[in-house]
């Protein structure tokens, strides 16, 4: 114990002694104090044990194919290791201009009708639901100040506040392209998944994170 802890205990003992009306009362007070401390330490020990077991279970859990289990690994260290959230190819890249002439703040993946969409990394769900003309929208907190936006889904299967693992299904695409980003596309065109990486509130190029062999999810 350090000097501060010792001083605090001495002060606590002095307070108990001051409040006690008799020796019996003092002993009872000291015992109650000891029990309280023991209960707190036991509670802390159990919490530590639960956390340790959680980490062990997480470490031994099967890793989804195509995406690695990141746990507490900083998002910045996953560059070159992240798989696309859906089967398909990148049709528009960050920094290019879309059909409306606007600069793309993320990548667009041309995918298939009803394709399964998975979480690209571990994270917590900050938002899950419809948003204006963007279809179903999902925002994940990937840690380190990074957020990942997935837009254009037809259905979402997770909810706000939920923790998700990389490779875990979070929804599916609609049957056709959601008319939002490019209204001049023909009706019935294949759906597109919009993916935006954000750092501290600003869009960043996601290309450094994509795995060298991008095949998406099956």
């Amino acid at each position: 114990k350090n000097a501060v802890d010792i001083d605090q205990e001495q002060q606590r003992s002095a307070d108990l002694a001051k409040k006690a009306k008799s020796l019996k009362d003092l002993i009872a007070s000291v015992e109650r104090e000891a029990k309280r401390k023991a209960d707190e330490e036991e509670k802390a020990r159990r919490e530590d044990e639960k956390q340790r077991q959680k980490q062990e279970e997480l470490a031994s859990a099967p890793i989804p194919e195509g995406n690695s289990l990141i746990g507490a690994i900083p998002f910045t260290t996953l560059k070159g290791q992240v798989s696309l959230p859906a089967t398909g190819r990148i049709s528009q890249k960050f920094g290019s201009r879309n059909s409306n002439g606007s600069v793309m703040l993320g990548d667009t993946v041309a995918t298939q009708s009803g394709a399964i969409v998975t979480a690209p990394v571990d994270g917590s769900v900050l938002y899950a639901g419809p948003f204006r003309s963007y279809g179903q929208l999902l925002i994940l907190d990937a840690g380190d100040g990074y957020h990942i936006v997935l837009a254009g889904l037809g259905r979402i299967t997770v909810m706000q506040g939920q923790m998700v693992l990389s490779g875990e299904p979070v929804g599916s695409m609609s049957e056709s392209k959601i008319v939002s980003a490019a209204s001049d596309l023909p009706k019935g065109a294949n759906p597109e998944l919009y993916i935006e990486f954000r750092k501290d509130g600003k869009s960043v190029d996601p290309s450094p994170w994509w795995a060298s062999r991008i095949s998406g999810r099956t």
Side-chain angles (χ1 to χ4, degrees):
K1 293 180 180 180
N2 57 40
V4 174
D5 290 336
I6 294 174
D7 288 343
Q8 288 178 343
E9 287 192 5
Q10 288 178 341
Q11 184 59 49
R12 196 174 292 120
S13 296
D15 291 340
L16 289 175
K18 186 176 181 180
K19 293 176 182 178
K21 297 178 180 179
S22 64
L23 179 59
K24 182 179 179 180
D25 195 10
L26 174 61
I27 293 172
S29 296
V30 171
E31 288 176 343
R32 283 196 298 271
E33 180 72 0
K35 186 177 186 308
R36 182 188 65 79
K37 286 181 60 180
D39 288 346
E40 287 181 351
E41 290 173 357
E42 177 63 12
K43 183 178 179 181
R45 187 193 66 77
R46 288 179 179 176
E47 286 296 321
D48 289 342
E49 180 66 13
K50 282 172 64 177
Q51 291 299 321
R52 185 183 65 79
Q53 288 179 351
K54 272 186 179 180
Q55 291 172 356
E56 288 180 354
E57 289 171 2
L58 202 61
S60 62
I63 299 175
E65 181 186 351
N67 276 325
S68 58
L69 186 67
I70 67 169
I73 299 175
F75 183 71
T76 50
T77 66
L78 292 175
K79 290 183 177 180
Q81 302 178 49
V82 179
S83 295
L84 288 181
T87 300
R89 61 178 179 80
I90 296 178
S91 56
Q92 289 182 296
K93 293 185 177 182
F94 174 91
S96 64
R97 291 189 180 274
N98 62 18
S99 57
N100 293 329
S102 301
V103 175
M104 295 288 293
L105 299 179
D107 289 347
T108 297
V109 176
T111 184
Q112 303 168 356
S113 297
I116 297 298
V117 179
T118 60
V121 296
D122 291 1
S124 60
V125 179
L126 297 181
Y127 180 90
F131 181 72
R132 297 183 181 178
S133 59
Y134 292 88
Q136 295 291 325
L137 179 72
L138 191 66
I139 303 177
L140 301 177
D141 183 352
D144 290 345
Y146 284 94
H147 292 161
I148 297 176
V149 179
L150 304 177
L153 289 83
R155 184 170 67 99
I156 288 179
T157 56
V158 293
M159 63 184 68
Q160 188 171 327
Q162 183 175 337
M163 298 296 296
V164 294
L165 298 177
S166 60
E168 179 180 346
V170 294
S172 59
M173 298 301 294
S174 59
E175 293 305 310
S176 60
K177 180 176 175 60
I178 294 173
V179 183
S180 168
S183 58
D184 57 341
L185 281 178
K187 187 176 181 181
N190 284 339
E192 292 185 338
L193 177 66
Y194 175 72
I195 309 164
E196 183 176 335
F197 284 15
R198 298 177 64 81
K199 167 66 172 172
D200 297 330
K202 294 182 179 180
S203 302
V204 296
D205 186 358
S207 60
W209 275 269
W210 300 134
S212 56
R213 183 179 65 83
I214 294 180
S215 60
R217 305 295 300 174
T218 57

